[in-house]
Amino acid sequence: MTKLDDHTRRDLEALLPLIEKTFPIPPRFRRGLGNDVAELSRLLTSARGERALAYLNRPPLLSAYLYYFLPWNLYRLCRLIPSLDLPLAPGDTIIDLGSGPLSFPIGLWLCRRDLRAVPLKFRCLDHSRGALEAGKKLFAALYSAAQPAPRPAGAAAPQGEPDCPWAITTIHGDLGQFHSHMREAALVTALNLYNELSQPISPGNDAGQRRFADKQAALLSGFAAGGGRLLVVEPGTPPSGRFITLLREALIGQGRPPLAPCTHSLPCPFPALRPPAAGRDTKWCHFAFDTEDAPAGLHRLSAAAGIPKERATLSFLLAGPQGPGQPKHGGPQSPAEQKARIVRVISSPFPARADGQAWGRYACGEQGMVLLRGAKTAVEAAEPGTLLAVRSTGERDPKSGAPVVTAP
Ligand SMILES: C[S@@+](CC[C@H](N)C(=O)[O-])C[C@H]1O[C@@H](n2cnc3c(N)ncnc32)[C@H](O)[C@@H]1O
């Protein structure tokens, strides 16, 4: 999760006044915004059962989404996307499912400036017409406010935005009814959708969760071209971590190996299963990072709503093109390979020895979960999600049983 670069930080900062200008809230309702944010937060978490299907069609909840949830989702996306291998070429199609106010195109616009002049086609589906319309308005305002690079000769101009190289089509409908006749997309995305869709399945119903993940894997995979990629991002909670693990497994079955965060296609070492024994923690694949570089105005609104956010979390999966893909690994290795391996840093740092002399972080590689151990400053230095070459120490962590590795 790379820190925001200067351009993206500046553009995200400028987005908040743009949202206020594009969707002004009369002063008498403005005072209630903090409460509306708190209410929508409740409906999205502890009171999910009370949430109406097209909740974003209700103006106070849509305002709360646009002013608070959208900018935080964009912030998380802008920390994630630059570290992902997302090659997009002129003419490529991107399908965004449960797009809400076009969060994915807007996030991509903010943090992939290199793509702004590339003609891309977006198909954004949601069953809230209000959210899609708001997204179109916001993207148009964002585009007008920017000074994009000139459009390459011959690129099609989308409706309503004569110069914008990005053609965005919104599709108002339910995911269950959406058909894409061609397996057309270079990229299929679904952000913060599945924690809503899987809500009726109880977390204890693992067979039901597995069936749900299998179905979604087939659906996502069916929208993508053979060489296309799939990106699913969810909140960093154990149920979402479980879904991501199951989706990953199902996509491997569809011949779409994980590209990130996994460094391998072997069974997930962070499967978010309920702890088998008392005293054991649930280990789920998620990334938590500080939010120091998030817009100051967003921090102020969060504090006013009573939900200050010093840290953001997410779980995600980028799955790759169909075909043989990356090797599963796990085969015979030379002694040098066995000693130096690539792992992805997953957890936050914690004291790994009672005397405080060593710190640790859990990481993931083809040998499964490992404990990365070292001096506090060295262990703290890596951003969550960083790939590191590590060396085995030959020891095991007494708490988790994980092999202990060090970063040279
Ligand atoms: C939490 S919002 C996420 C919006 C956006 N992707 C983001 O990350 O900001 C979930 C979105 O999924 C949409 N949604 C939920 N179930 C859906 C379904 N069955 N079909 C289409 N859209 C759905 C909701 O209307 C909402 O806009």
Side-chain angles (χ1 to χ4, degrees):
M1 307 305 119
T2 43
K3 293 260 189 218
L4 301 183
D5 64 33
D6 287 346
H7 288 301
T8 309
R9 189 181 309 120
R10 198 192 55 212
D11 286 355
L12 253 181
E13 198 78 54
L15 187 75
L16 299 185
L18 195 66
I19 289 173
E20 292 188 23
K21 194 170 149 207
T22 314
F23 309 101
I25 302 179
R28 67 183 189 286
F29 293 126
R30 179 75 207 217
R31 262 173 273 125
L33 181 62
N35 288 342
D36 293 336
V37 168
E39 171 63 0
L40 182 53
S41 172
R42 197 182 70 85
L43 291 173
L44 290 171
T45 52
S46 58
R48 286 155 181 254
E50 295 173 29
R51 195 179 61 224
L53 204 59
Y55 59 97
L56 288 181
N57 285 342
R58 281 178 52 196
L61 297 187
L62 180 59
S63 293
Y65 201 89
L66 293 170
Y67 275 68
Y68 176 87
F69 292 90
L70 173 66
W72 274 122
N73 286 351
L74 293 174
Y75 171 75
R76 296 187 312 146
L77 210 53
C78 291
R79 293 281 305 254
L80 172 67
I81 287 182
S83 61
L84 299 180
D85 183 22
L86 288 181
L88 289 166
D92 274 351
T93 294
I94 295 144
I95 295 181
D96 186 30
L97 303 169
S99 193
L102 307 189
S103 308
F104 184 73
I106 291 176
L108 198 67
W109 181 268
L110 291 171
C111 68
R112 286 287 305 268
R113 297 173 77 84
D114 59 308
L115 292 175
R116 289 184 181 182
V118 177
L120 296 173
K121 288 176 267 182
F122 291 84
R123 303 185 69 201
C124 299
L125 171 95
D126 202 284
H127 63 191
S128 165
R129 193 190 292 279
L132 290 172
E133 289 304 318
K136 279 204 296 198
K137 241 172 124 173
L138 183 58
F139 185 83
L142 192 61
Y143 177 74
S144 305
Q147 293 191 335
R151 176 159 52 94
Q159 251 181 338
E161 282 301 328
D163 296 322
C164 183
W166 290 14
I168 300 181
T169 308
T170 53
I171 303 159
H172 172 225
D174 193 274
L175 179 60
Q177 261 88 57
F178 178 56
H179 298 288
S180 180
H181 297 297
M182 293 172 293
R183 303 185 61 206
E184 57 176 350
L187 179 64
V188 180
T189 56
L191 315 177
N192 306 302
L193 168 68
Y194 284 115
N195 64 97
E196 275 190 23
L197 273 181
S198 62
Q199 185 194 322
I201 311 168
S202 96
N205 177 2
D206 210 55
Q209 297 282 356
R210 197 175 281 278
R211 276 194 302 276
F212 177 73
D214 285 351
K215 190 173 160 196
Q216 297 310 317
L219 191 120
L220 290 166
S221 186
F223 294 147
R229 290 162 195 233
L230 315 170
L231 174 65
V232 175
V233 185
E234 288 290 320
T237 60
S240 289
R242 181 72 189 143
F243 171 71
I244 292 283
T245 295
L246 294 175
L247 185 73
R248 170 187 186 272
E249 233 174 89
L251 285 171
I252 291 171
Q254 301 266 332
R256 292 197 186 267
L259 297 176
C262 321
T263 58
H264 60 88
S265 297
L266 295 167
C268 174
F270 291 82
L273 283 168
R274 290 168 161 227
R280 286 212 162 193
D281 300 331
T282 303
K283 298 255 179 321
W284 76 102
C285 183
H286 69 291
F287 301 89
F289 42 93
D290 67 66
T291 57
E292 279 165 9
D293 54 350
L298 192 53
H299 277 298
R300 278 196 297 277
L301 177 60
S302 308
I307 32 181
K309 235 192 230 300
E310 279 160 18
R311 288 168 80 66
T313 66
L314 59 83
S315 290
F316 78 97
L317 178 68
L318 176 67
Q322 257 171 343
Q326 61 178 155
K328 265 193 172 185
H329 299 298
Q333 288 175 318
S334 69
E337 279 175 321
Q338 283 168 9
K339 279 195 171 157
R341 296 184 184 172
I342 302 294
V343 300
R344 172 103 50 197
V345 176
I346 308 271
S347 83
S348 304
F350 55 86
R353 269 209 306 250
D355 60 9
Q357 290 301 303
W359 280 62
R361 294 174 84 155
Y362 290 117
C364 180
E366 63 182 74
Q367 64 274 53
M369 182 175 81
V370 296
L371 174 67
L372 171 69
R373 204 177 61 193
K376 186 170 188 259
T377 41
V379 167
E380 278 180 340
E383 288 294 330
T386 306
L387 287 173
L388 284 180
V390 294
R391 289 187 157 273
S392 167
T393 62
E395 293 173 52
R396 282 198 175 261
D397 170 33
K399 187 168 172 241
S400 62
V404 178
V405 299
T406 56

